[in-house]
Amino acid sequence: MTASTLPKSRQQLILAVLMVCSLLIWLDNTVLSITLETLADPVRGLNASPAELQWATGAYTLAFATLMFTAGALGDRFGHRTVLAAGLVVFAASSMWAAFAGDAGQLIAARTAMGVGSALILPGNLAILMWTFTGPARSTAIAISSTSAGVGMAVGPVLAGVLLDHFWWGSVFLVNVPVVVLALIGIVLLVPNFRSPVVRPLDPAGMLLSISGLAALAYGLIRTGQVADWSRTDVWAPIVVGLFLLAVFVRVELRSKMPSFDPRLLAQRAFGGGNVALGLLLFAISAVTFYSAFYLQGARGYSPIEAGLAGLPTALGAILGAPMGARLVRRWSLRLVAVPALTVAALTMGAYGLFGLSTPLVGIEILLLIQGLSIGMVLGPVTAALISTLPLERAGAGSAVTNTVRQTGSVFGIAVGGTIMSIVYRRAIEPSLHGVPGPVRDQARVSAEQARHVAGTSHLPTLGHAADDAFVHALHVGAVWIMLIALVGAAVLLLALRPVPKPLAEEGEPEPAQEDCLTADDAAPRVGADTRPVREGNDAGTR
């Protein structure tokens, strides 16, 4: 029995299990965004600085981004179900570690381990989906699976708000454990252990170079926000070293006969350009989400549950936008749908520059709904089209390329977005610190959260108001930069999906159609006799 002959009912159950695994990742990301303000609180949380919060978020994404291509190779070698199950176990164990972390350093370490688990989960998830479905059904399954992002975005913040209102902050990590148990049961009972017939060597050199390069680059960028001085050696040296290591990484992968991360795939116009556009979009999403958490709970004073409910329109829009985008792509083309949607998403992020301390909530909610719809119309159809262009025998490694680029965008969105916020906030708050006692002044410079806390304990209400104004100014400046980055992504996508004239086959023959824009269906690879998966277990009579 091959993947294409699995009973339809079993295919649907496998899709449901894979969506639970994907939901786990999105649930954790959105839960953390609501928890950031609490973690920064000196009393209720860990008294984490902005840099520590950037690392708590970025360390997870960094491990996620750099280990995915290795996880893809492991899945091709040992079976994607095996690697997926191992990732779930690691994710559950590290979630328990994070829940009981005693300080910000322990939390960062636990979040890094959670990133390792996620890196093992996602490539196997996508590879199993590609082996299970073929042709147009694969594109439909990918589009349906992408809605788990919207569900996670909807459930995560509200769930986090409820937990934070009734329990301590660690409970938001413990919630991952029952989801993991549910997913493991489904994997054992339903999912075959697909393996690629092409066993690729592991790539320890590439893994070390990519981790070191991205970590050094992210450290330099985050350090810039702490010291606001590009001339310092501890700022520019890590950035230079990181760029050098990443250049060496690309060179090593290009020279490898069977690279785990193949940069040549990114040289293809549609695949490479589409991935770059999605990476820039994820950059913008991560940065604006980081800002939003502090705006709603810090500047506006919303409780965690109120902030979670306020973010529901974004999630609802993402859930509705993915299938809407898929239908529009079938009617028109991916270019005519995704490029305008990405442009609208960029403009909604720039509109954060209009937010103030008394902006009507209804206006914010309408904007977030439009933002969610436009993001859903980009992520679902573009991801489906890109994944469908991947060679089936390289499902694990190929999907890892796509997700590595996207997660790398998230890493730098957090690093750059947080750095812009820190630098602009510090400059804006400085005029209000004249005459303030030294210890109070030093703490107020760290972040708006620290300034509000010390203003309350020192009975300096004007300092708290100044911190709110400085944060809003930083939000406005950051929103403009985020919008510009997302607009660059729209321009890249416009070029990547441009129509390509097809040459005449022979002189005198009528000219073929001039448009060759990538769509979610026409790029789906066919399953031939030489690309059948190797499967283990769960099917009697397969050997």
Side-chain angles (χ1 to χ4, degrees):
M1 181 184 294
T2 63
S4 59
T5 58
L6 285 174
K8 186 175 181 180
S9 58
R10 184 170 175 183
Q11 289 181 330
Q12 294 172 340
L13 289 173
I14 290 174
L15 177 60
V17 171
L18 297 179
M19 289 183 67
V20 171
C21 296
S22 179
L23 173 65
L24 181 70
I25 296 173
W26 282 97
L27 190 68
D28 178 73
N29 286 337
T30 53
V31 161
L32 182 64
S33 67
I34 294 296
T35 315
L36 291 175
E37 179 73 22
T38 301
L39 291 173
D41 191 279
V43 177
R44 297 179 298 129
L46 296 176
N47 194 27
S49 68
E52 288 171 332
L53 294 176
Q54 284 176 273
W55 277 115
T57 307
Y60 168 90
T61 313
L62 181 64
F64 195 179
T66 53
L67 293 178
M68 274 195 294
F69 59 85
T70 301
L74 288 172
D76 289 342
R77 179 183 291 255
F78 299 110
H80 293 293
R81 182 185 67 180
T82 300
V83 174
L84 175 59
L88 288 168
V89 173
V90 171
F91 193 90
S94 53
S95 294
M96 296 180 67
W97 181 14
F100 297 101
D103 55 43
Q106 293 182 27
L107 178 62
I108 292 169
R111 289 286 298 167
T112 303
M114 292 175 70
V116 174
S118 296
L120 296 173
I121 292 171
L122 194 55
N125 191 304
L126 292 172
I128 291 170
L129 189 149
M130 290 182 66
W131 284 120
T132 303
F133 298 91
T134 60
R138 178 184 296 145
S139 299
T140 301
I142 293 173
I144 293 174
S145 179
S146 68
T147 61
S148 62
V151 175
M153 290 169 63
V155 175
V158 177
L159 178 62
V162 172
L163 292 173
L164 290 173
D165 278 352
H166 294 85
F167 306 100
W168 98 113
W169 60 264
S171 61
V172 303
F173 296 109
L174 285 181
V175 76
N176 295 327
V177 177
V179 182
V180 168
V181 173
L182 178 64
L184 283 172
I185 293 173
I187 289 170
V188 171
L189 295 179
L190 296 168
V191 179
N193 198 25
F194 297 119
R195 290 182 299 154
S196 172
V198 180
V199 178
R200 295 176 294 116
L202 300 179
D203 186 11
M207 180 180 67
L208 291 175
L209 285 169
S210 61
I211 291 175
S212 302
L214 284 174
L217 188 55
Y219 174 84
L221 292 171
I222 292 174
R223 185 63 178 159
T224 304
Q226 292 178 284
V227 300
D229 185 359
W230 288 94
S231 64
R232 291 179 49 142
T233 305
D234 58 348
V235 170
W236 63 261
I239 293 176
V240 171
V241 170
L243 291 173
F244 174 76
L245 291 175
L246 291 176
V248 175
F249 164 69
V250 171
R251 184 173 179 81
V252 167
E253 296 300 297
L254 287 173
R255 295 182 123 187
S256 174
K257 293 182 179 179
M258 299 183 69
S260 294
F261 180 94
D262 192 352
R264 298 175 188 86
L265 289 174
L266 296 176
Q268 301 174 17
R269 179 173 58 82
F271 184 83
N275 272 294
V276 170
L278 288 183
L280 293 173
L281 175 60
L282 266 293
F283 177 107
I285 292 173
S286 298
V288 82
T289 301
F290 193 77
Y291 287 6
S292 181
F294 296 106
Y295 170 70
L296 291 175
Q297 295 183 63
R300 297 297 296 264
Y302 290 1
S303 69
I305 184 63
E306 290 171 337
L309 291 172
L312 280 179
T314 303
L316 178 61
I319 293 172
L320 298 176
M324 181 188 304
R327 287 194 297 270
L328 292 175
V329 167
R330 285 193 292 268
R331 176 175 298 182
W332 295 319
S333 73
L334 186 61
R335 191 178 196 237
L336 293 177
V337 174
V339 174
L342 182 47
T343 302
V344 172
L347 295 176
T348 61
M349 294 173 186
Y352 278 58
L354 303 176
F355 288 179
L357 296 175
S358 58
T359 303
L361 182 60
V362 64
I364 296 176
E365 299 298 276
I366 293 173
L367 184 72
L368 294 180
L369 177 61
I370 297 172
Q371 184 179 103
L373 281 169
S374 55
I375 290 174
M377 292 174 67
V378 176
L379 285 180
V382 175
T383 300
L386 294 180
I387 297 245
S388 295
T389 66
L390 300 173
L392 190 58
E393 67 275 9
R394 299 197 60 198
S399 61
V401 170
T402 296
N403 285 285
T404 297
V405 173
R406 291 170 59 172
Q407 293 303 319
T408 300
S410 296
V411 169
F412 291 116
I414 295 165
V416 175
T419 294
I420 292 173
M421 174 180 285
S422 295
I423 292 175
V424 177
Y425 165 79
R426 191 174 294 113
R427 291 176 178 173
I429 193 68
E430 195 63 37
S432 302
L433 299 180
H434 295 303
V436 175
V440 174
R441 181 171 61 250
D442 293 340
Q443 192 169 353
R445 285 192 183 116
V446 173
S447 68
E449 288 68 39
Q450 297 282 349
R452 295 186 195 102
H453 174 73
V454 74
T457 57
S458 303
H459 306 290
L460 297 171
T462 56
L463 178 60
H465 296 318
D468 288 338
D469 292 336
F471 170 82
V472 170
H473 176 66
L475 172 67
H476 292 171
V477 174
V480 173
W481 282 105
I482 293 169
M483 177 186 68
L484 293 176
I485 292 294
L487 287 175
V488 171
V492 170
L493 192 61
L494 179 68
L495 295 175
L497 302 180
R498 70 182 186 274
V500 177
K502 296 182 179 180
L504 295 176
E506 292 183 12
E507 186 176 355
E509 289 186 3
E511 185 176 355
Q514 294 296 305
E515 187 172 10
D516 189 28
C517 286
L518 187 67
T519 67
D521 291 334
D522 61 18
R526 303 293 185 260
V527 180
D530 60 341
T531 60
R532 287 178 297 179
V534 178
R535 304 176 60 246
E536 297 176 355
N538 278 9
D539 283 319
T542 61
R543 296 185 182 271

